[in-house]
Amino acid sequence: MFLHIDCNAFFASCEVATRPGLGGKPVVVANDNENGGGIILALTAEAKALGLKRGIPLFQVRNLIKMNHVVICPVDHKKYRRISRQIMENVQRQEIVQDFVQYSVDEFFGTLPSDNPEELRHYATLVKQMIAQSTNIPVSCGLSQTYTLAKVATHYAKHYKGYDGVCLLMPENRQRALSLLDIADVWGIGRQNRAKLYALGIHTAQEFVNCDEKFLSSIFSVAGLNTWRELRGTPCIDLHRPTKQRSIMQSRTFVHMSDNLQTIEQDIRTYAASCAAKLRQQQSVCRTVQVFLSTNRHRQDLAQYRNSVGIHLPSPTADTPTIVKAAVSGLHSLYKEGFLFKQAGVILTNITEEEGMQLDLFSEPQDERHRKLMQITDALNKKFGDDTINFGLSPEKADS
DNA sequence: TCTGGGGTCCTAGGACCC
DNA sequence: TCTGGGGTCCTAGGACCC
């Protein structure tokens, strides 16, 4: 049986677990910036009870937050990654769950070697209790015959108190569970597919399951069909993924809209440099540097422009100056006067292993001095903090 | 005033080959 | 009436996820 473990309101739970005095209080985690922007990313049950929701901008609920003394915690991804790793290690050490994989910072999958409902429930409860004791993070567990069905089970474990955080979805109660589930709540059905299905009069997961396979394959891609098969009890999702990232991205929404190429360029340099550092951390090189630039899509009263460009490097590299230079040239090719920009970012793609990288016949071999410089920079930043040494962050020094 | 920031995979279509 | 017929590779963009 497949097991799915989902941390409840993970970011908010992490704050409550690590900051004394927050227990029982309404707490929201938001990517607040100095200007008061940002949106709610996670919230405790007490905050939900006040009518707050994930995804809404803080400025819309300032009064509600003030009146009810809601605690706002700035988002702290480092902390969440640390706690996530603890959970992972603790579950592995317990040796109950097999084929254990981390799916995201707050979700895990695995299998349990039993068909006996009571045994399964017992094991899942043990795992849940162990996580609560060792990290103070409440989790919900779902068990069923496929990953997708296990996530359905977790949905019920979360929303019905009677399950006490552990829900077992067996074939005999599957039809009932899927009849009560909105198709939009199924893993793999996003906004577009939901709209298509609603338009066809299909609203519940069971109605989707009842569809003819041939008919569905004319509307959906393989991903949609896999979801259909998984809901019918046939496992066909593989969660095995390469450990190294295949793209590395950094972007920001600006506090103030800007048409100033110089300041945007500064930001792009910073993003490109930190992407390059991440790339070296996983011992990889990239062949393409993508840059994107966008106006504020929420301001339909202003002229809109968004565009992106991919710069191909002559040979795969993780060299900061090379990547920064490419990103800057990409930005210059995108930039247009007469628009107020709100967001920009850099994405490194075409990532391969540093070992055995292919050199272009006509390109210069990687400058050994550059490599040394990168190594020393990374070592110093690791020892003394991320911003000890920066690269090419001021235009006049870009090529030095 | 004010609306994250990351990721993955798939597909359609164009360029190019013989 | 009727304008080859396969292939491969690459890329941008779209769909999904958290």
Side-chain angles (χ1 to χ4, degrees), chain A residues 217-392:
Chain A
S217 64
S218 68
I219 307 172
F220 293 110
S221 66
V222 291
L225 251 78
N226 277 346
T227 299
W228 179 80
R229 292 189 190 108
E230 286 243 329
L231 284 178
R232 293 168 70 96
T234 310
C236 50
I237 289 178
D238 179 15
L239 288 180
H240 173 78
R241 262 183 294 183
T243 48
K244 291 186 179 178
Q245 285 174 217
R246 309 181 57 156
S247 70
I248 292 171
M249 161 166 168
Q250 190 164 329
S251 73
R252 288 289 177 277
T253 300
F254 307 141
V255 175
H256 301 289
M257 288 188 284
S258 167
D259 61 353
N260 185 328
L261 182 57
Q262 261 85 52
T263 62
I264 297 173
E265 188 183 310
Q266 290 294 101
D267 290 322
I268 288 293
R269 286 173 184 278
T270 310
Y271 307 157
S274 94
C275 285
K278 268 196 197 170
L279 188 64
R280 289 194 297 276
Q281 227 170 54
Q282 64 164 33
Q283 272 115 44
S284 300
V285 288
C286 76
R287 230 186 62 212
T288 307
V289 179
Q290 262 176 274
V291 184
F292 68 89
L293 187 61
S294 161
T295 51
N296 187 347
R297 66 180 200 282
H298 299 290
R299 291 289 299 273
Q300 288 305 324
D301 54 319
L302 298 177
Q304 296 287 317
Y305 170 66
R306 56 164 52 88
N307 205 352
S308 74
V309 65
I311 306 291
H312 290 282
L313 303 168
S315 59
T317 184
D319 180 57
T320 294
T322 306
I323 288 170
V324 168
K325 210 170 164 182
V328 168
S329 80
L331 172 67
H332 284 254
S333 75
L334 288 177
Y335 181 83
K336 273 192 196 169
E337 284 186 12
F339 297 97
L340 285 168
F341 292 103
K342 182 66 177 169
Q343 196 187 23
V346 173
I347 309 171
L348 306 185
T349 58
N350 276 318
I351 291 176
T352 49
E353 300 276 316
E354 184 183 24
E355 294 300 318
M357 64 189 240
Q358 294 278 318
L359 281 181
D360 189 287
L361 181 59
F362 301 107
S363 62
E364 298 286 323
Q366 175 93 315
D367 183 348
E368 193 52 31
R369 283 158 60 227
H370 265 196
R371 288 176 70 109
K372 281 258 162 61
L373 194 57
M374 291 297 114
Q375 279 172 12
I376 292 166
T377 310
D378 292 338
L380 286 173
N381 282 341
K382 193 175 178 190
K383 192 163 179 184
F384 299 110
D386 284 346
D387 291 323
T388 308
I389 297 190
N390 282 322
F391 261 99

